[in-house]
Amino acid sequence: MHIPDGFLSTPVWAALDAVSIPAIGLLANRARAEIDEARIPLLGVMGAFVFAAQMINFPVGLGTSGHLVGGALLACLLGPGAAALVMTAILAIQALVFQDGGILALGANLMNMAVAGVIAGYLPYHWLGKTRYRRAGIFAGAFLSLLVSASLALTELLLSGVRMPGPVLGVSAGLFVVSALLEGAITVSVVSAIERLHPSWIGNPVPLRSTAFVLLGVGAVLLGGIGFVFASQSPDGLQSLAERVGIAGQANAIVAGPLADYQMHGLASPVLRRAAAGLAGVLGIWIACLALGRMISRRRAA
């Protein structure tokens, strides 16, 4: 789902870089109403959990894998403004540190997942969250969130002059639908589990010692540290599409990330390299989200 540098034409990535900055700014203004001092730790633990979950690819068919994106999950539990900020932190660190997604293409990835994906994930939940169709709203939000993000990525590639034969485009769309269905199922499961453990989670301060908070933190550490052992090694939907249309070789890195390919260099064991990089990412995302939360909270107080 993360578009690398080299796939998009200059007019496309430059326009999206320019548009994504004010879009994130508008959502940051909304976040002021969603974040207070007591809820800041939630941003850290949710950011760490989603980052770690994104590292775990699962098979979706035809030699292709997918992974949780998490825009709807964040929007349901934090609100759309805070969710956009957390997703921005995740995508920025992935691009700058892990070389996962391009630096020039960061605006495109932000628009696809942190802006459009979060809003698409939030709206069905907002409309149905207080009705008997609450779970359907959560599922629909997660389903739409991934499909909107994927559709925008495909549109950006087409606008960049990437030729996609009809059959290839159809197969890719079908695989994204499968990924969206799994995104919906995972999101409903996680939100339901959290609400069973802590019914007042949404919209209220959550004690740091609450079972839900502790389990999310433990889950982030486990997924980041050892989850890769169980992850599919198949390319994700965008990588698979790039291979099918012959642009995979165009991917390039403007700057080499210190933990590129999720590897902590200098360690002898491949397992330790991956585990150390994953845990470093979990810690980095947690710190970045706490810092963003405190910044927004101070502006709200001012």
Side-chain angles (χ1 to χ4, degrees):
M1 187 66 71
H2 297 66
I3 301 174
D5 287 330
F7 282 14
L8 301 181
S9 65
T10 300
V12 171
W13 66 252
L16 289 166
D17 284 351
V19 171
S20 66
I21 294 173
I24 294 294
L26 289 173
L27 287 168
N29 285 333
R30 180 185 174 101
R32 294 181 188 178
E34 301 166 354
I35 302 173
D36 56 30
E37 194 70 27
R39 288 180 62 79
I40 289 175
L42 294 184
L43 273 66
V45 74
M46 287 304 305
F49 180 82
V50 168
F51 166 81
Q54 286 189 5
M55 294 175 60
I56 314 304
N57 283 37
F58 44 77
V60 296
L62 301 179
T64 303
S65 67
H67 61 75
L68 179 77
V69 175
L73 176 62
L74 292 172
C76 290
L77 296 177
L78 301 176
L85 286 182
V86 170
M87 189 64 77
T88 296
I90 293 171
L91 293 171
I93 289 177
Q94 286 172 332
L96 295 169
V97 178
F98 295 94
Q99 214 167 293
D100 187 8
I103 294 176
L104 296 179
L106 181 57
N109 289 322
L110 288 175
M111 183 58 63
N112 298 348
M113 289 180 273
V115 178
V118 164
I119 293 173
Y122 177 72
L123 289 178
Y125 170 77
H126 176 70
W127 292 327
L128 301 175
K130 295 182 179 180
T131 73
R132 60 177 178 170
Y133 303 109
R134 175 181 176 79
R135 289 193 177 186
I138 296 171
F139 181 90
F143 180 85
L144 285 175
S145 176
L146 193 143
L147 277 191
V148 166
S149 297
S151 298
L152 286 174
L154 291 176
T155 301
E156 290 152 10
L157 291 173
L158 289 169
L159 290 174
S160 297
V162 177
R163 295 183 179 181
M164 302 183 199
V168 172
L169 189 58
V171 168
S172 294
L175 292 172
F176 280 129
V177 168
V178 174
S179 293
L181 291 170
L182 293 171
E183 178 95 8
I186 293 170
T187 301
V188 169
S189 298
V190 173
V191 173
S192 298
I194 288 173
E195 291 184 329
R196 281 196 297 269
L197 293 169
H198 198 101
S200 62
W201 173 287
I202 298 177
N204 297 294
V206 178
L208 300 186
R209 295 182 181 178
S210 71
T211 303
F213 191 94
V214 171
L215 288 179
L216 281 169
V218 171
V221 170
L222 291 177
L223 288 173
I226 64 173
F228 64 91
V229 174
F230 309 99
S232 170
Q233 300 303 308
S234 300
D236 69 16
L238 187 60
Q239 293 170 328
S240 179
L241 173 65
E243 291 175 1
R244 288 189 173 97
V245 299
I247 63 169
Q250 296 179 20
N252 61 74
I254 302 301
V255 177
L259 300 179
D261 299 323
Y262 295 89
Q263 300 286 329
M264 178 75 77
H265 303 291
L267 298 176
S269 167
V271 173
L272 288 179
R273 287 199 296 269
R274 187 68 184 265
L279 291 174
V282 167
L283 177 61
I285 294 291
W286 178 70
I287 292 172
C289 291
L290 289 182
L292 282 172
R294 289 197 176 97
M295 180 181 70
I296 295 297
S297 179
R298 289 188 187 123
R299 289 185 177 180
R300 174 183 178 179

